[in-house]
Amino acid sequence: MTSTTPQSAQAGGPALPQERRVVTAIPGPKSQELHARKLASVADGVGNVLPVYVQRAGGGVVEDVDGNSLIDFGSGIAVTSVGNSAEAVVRRAAEQLADYTHTCFMVTPYEPYIAVAEALAELTPGDHAKKSALFNSGAEAVENAVKIARAYTKRQAVVVFDHGYHGRTNLTMALTSKNMPYKHGFGPFAPEVYRVPVAYPYRWPTGPENCAEEAAAQAIDQISKQVGAENVAAIVIEPVLGEGGFIEPAKGFLPRIAQFARDHGIVFVADEIQAGFCRTGQWFASEDEGLVPDLITTAKGIAGGLPLAAVTGRAEIMDAAHSGGLGGTYGGNPVACAAALGAIETMRELDLCARAKRIEEVMKPRLAKIAENQPAIGDIRGRGAMIAIELVKPGTKEPDAELTAKLARACHQAGLLILTTGTYGNVVRFLPPLVIGEDLLNEGLDVLESAFAELA
Ligand code: PMP
């Protein structure tokens, strides 16, 4: 990895300087002006992490309208893994834009949709026959995975997990665990959704070594006794839980749950919307424990920033829904499909799975070093370029959401864009674009270290 973004990943036009540059207060005057317009015209329910308005973005930086250049440790929430406006994404999407923008795949179909479905069949785990259906957003993909599983099994119940996040539509709010801000005041929620424990090693009452076995036993017991395995259509889980706090279920938990699903004819759905597409150092996070999910939901990283999502899985399950039962006006839009083919080309050409692993190699030891002086860092976890620290009151495991918010603010002020997450709001997550230069990655960590020191 070099200090600048590889040329092959950058779009045409003058290359965006790969540097941190803070030339005004954050947010600057032009951003503040735009923000006043935003507050007057955009619904309050649509919040912002940082009201800095974007001018350009690429490689490992986001440049704002005031001329500040922020190091990007967020990738628009794990989307621009190939970098913003990556060359192959722009080229392919632009060619597609010039040819046709939309016909509706359900009316008169087109080749890019099929090429994406073929790529998904090739890249997702398992060598069985697979099919896909394309959608616009992650939530839509998860909803459709549930529809398909219900059509296939002719059962209704859906099992999800503590700390899980699956979206903001009515069904996916029901599947999501955290009340504020995702669900509060928006009920009633869809029925036949059951939540069971997940193996969260850091917070498992009897310790991480017992976590996988005990959590799996509890989850399976609850499903069996409270729902009845024979009533369950789908078990839906993120192989690394994103909005819940980058929780990696203790090793052994996921295979045990997948085996239970197999034994009882339940469709096992891996929600790889945040963790997929090289983010964790594999094409899909499921691969780390050799999981072969029946269905996989993808979105975010799939198309380099254009809205596209997919459900991919066993052909016989995917074919269970009747013709016309799946789809939507825009699902698998040709420009988004072309962008996805460009993103996948970039991931392959630049071996972005290897880059994600390298990002972990750089970040984990540096975070461990910072933690030596920062007793608030209770846990460092994650893999590839999906890394997090969980902040607690020193000497306890009491979540410190206030420090987390202060730390994020201090980093933003210094030109580092970081995001927080977690059920308790006490996790700082790092999701840099996989094409970020190593110098910039280290500089971002310097900023984080200084912000910690200032706050201590
Ligand atoms: N599932 C997971 C695991 C996610 O991380 C997200 C988005 N954060 C979603 C589903 C919903 O995706 P979208 O916002 O595109 O609807």
Side-chain angles (χ1 to χ4, degrees):
M1 206 182 288
T2 55
S3 61
T4 53
T5 300
Q7 281 305 310
S8 48
Q10 288 218 350
L16 196 57
Q18 296 295 298
E19 62 182 17
R20 179 172 64 102
R21 190 173 66 243
V22 180
V23 294
T24 70
I26 304 275
K30 288 184 182 160
S31 277
Q32 289 183 32
E33 239 178 83
L34 284 166
H35 201 55
R37 282 171 57 196
K38 185 256 179 182
L39 292 175
S41 62
V42 178
D44 286 352
V46 186
N48 307 107
V49 170
L50 173 63
V52 145
Y53 285 73
V54 178
Q55 183 78 33
R56 297 192 297 170
V61 299
V62 172
E63 199 178 82
D64 75 8
V65 289
D66 290 289
N68 300 298
S69 175
L70 310 182
I71 298 176
D72 184 9
F73 274 13
S75 301
I77 322 187
V79 171
T80 50
S81 299
V82 294
N84 250 291
S85 303
E87 187 277 332
V89 171
V90 172
R91 173 171 39 82
R92 286 184 180 243
E95 283 168 14
Q96 183 58 51
L97 271 169
D99 286 345
Y100 56 93
T101 49
H102 172 86
T103 63
C104 187
F105 191 76
M106 301 183 304
V107 179
T108 46
Y110 38 82
E111 196 263 351
Y113 189 117
I114 299 166
V116 170
E118 288 168 349
L120 283 163
E122 191 192 327
L123 295 170
T124 51
D127 50 15
H128 49 280
K130 291 176 211 158
K131 288 192 171 184
S132 288
L134 304 185
F135 304 98
N136 304 293
S137 69
E140 218 189 325
V142 175
E143 289 235 0
N144 278 280
V146 170
K147 279 168 66 174
I148 292 164
R150 283 176 169 162
Y152 178 71
T153 58
K154 306 198 166 41
R155 304 172 180 176
Q156 293 188 354
V158 181
V159 170
V160 288
F161 292 81
D162 286 338
H163 309 287
Y165 180 90
H166 302 287
R168 296 170 186 266
T169 58
N170 187 265
L171 175 59
T172 56
M173 277 193 292
L175 303 179
T176 289
S177 136
K178 189 175 174 178
N179 177 48
M180 265 312 256
Y182 307 124
K183 303 168 75 164
H184 188 74
F186 300 141
F189 303 111
E192 287 304 319
V193 173
Y194 301 90
R195 189 173 310 289
V196 298
V198 74
Y200 185 168
Y202 180 65
R203 295 198 173 272
W204 196 254
T206 58
E209 56 291 349
N210 305 315
C211 178
E213 202 176 307
E214 290 181 9
Q218 287 181 19
I220 288 168
D221 185 64
Q222 286 183 19
I223 298 168
S224 307
K225 299 295 186 308
Q226 298 176 22
V227 194
E230 66 278 18
N231 296 316
V232 180
I235 294 177
V236 184
I237 189 163
E238 300 155 84
V240 179
L241 288 84
E243 306 303 314
F246 284 21
I247 301 162
E248 293 176 274
K251 213 165 163 37
F253 177 80
L254 291 170
R256 181 77 194 83
I257 298 294
Q259 183 62 46
F260 174 79
R262 225 170 4 257
D263 292 345
H264 293 88
I266 299 168
V267 175
F268 181 77
V269 183
D271 180 347
E272 292 258 11
I273 286 165
Q274 192 157 165
F277 280 101
C278 301
R279 179 54 56 187
T280 64
Q282 306 274 6
W283 278 96
F284 296 96
S286 297
E287 291 168 51
D288 278 315
E289 285 194 88
L291 294 178
V292 180
D294 297 314
L295 300 181
I296 290 188
T297 55
T298 52
K300 290 190 185 276
I302 190 174
L306 274 83
L308 189 71
V311 183
T312 301
R314 295 185 189 281
E316 69 274 19
I317 301 177
M318 291 299 297
D319 282 339
H322 50 275
S323 178
L326 307 177
T329 305
Y330 293 115
N333 169 271
V335 182
C337 286
L341 297 171
I344 292 167
E345 175 189 319
T346 308
M347 289 176 205
R348 283 193 161 121
E349 266 184 11
L350 300 180
D351 193 0
L352 291 189
C353 287
R355 280 175 172 266
K357 286 188 178 140
R358 175 64 191 153
I359 287 170
E360 176 180 348
E361 271 172 29
V362 172
M363 290 198 94
K364 282 254 182 92
R366 286 223 43 198
L367 292 169
K369 193 97 184 63
I370 295 173
E372 283 173 15
N373 300 317
Q374 301 298 342
I377 300 180
D379 196 23
I380 302 169
R381 58 177 179 252
R383 43 189 201 262
M386 189 171 183
I387 304 281
I389 50 177
E390 177 158 357
L391 303 185
V392 292
K393 301 264 157 70
T396 75
K397 287 192 175 178
E398 194 188 328
D400 196 341
E402 198 185 321
L403 175 66
T404 308
K406 279 188 185 156
L407 186 73
R409 213 170 307 126
C411 288
H412 296 164
Q413 294 301 320
L416 172 67
L417 181 48
I418 56 168
L419 305 173
T420 61
T421 187
T423 300
Y424 312 108
N426 68 324
V427 175
V428 179
R429 57 173 151 177
F430 308 107
L431 290 163
L434 306 182
V435 295
I436 193 171
E438 202 159 310
D439 288 2
L440 219 47
L441 187 63
N442 271 305
E443 192 175 335
L445 291 162
D446 294 341
V447 172
L448 180 80
E449 187 166 11
S450 307
F452 259 121
E454 265 170 44
L455 293 174

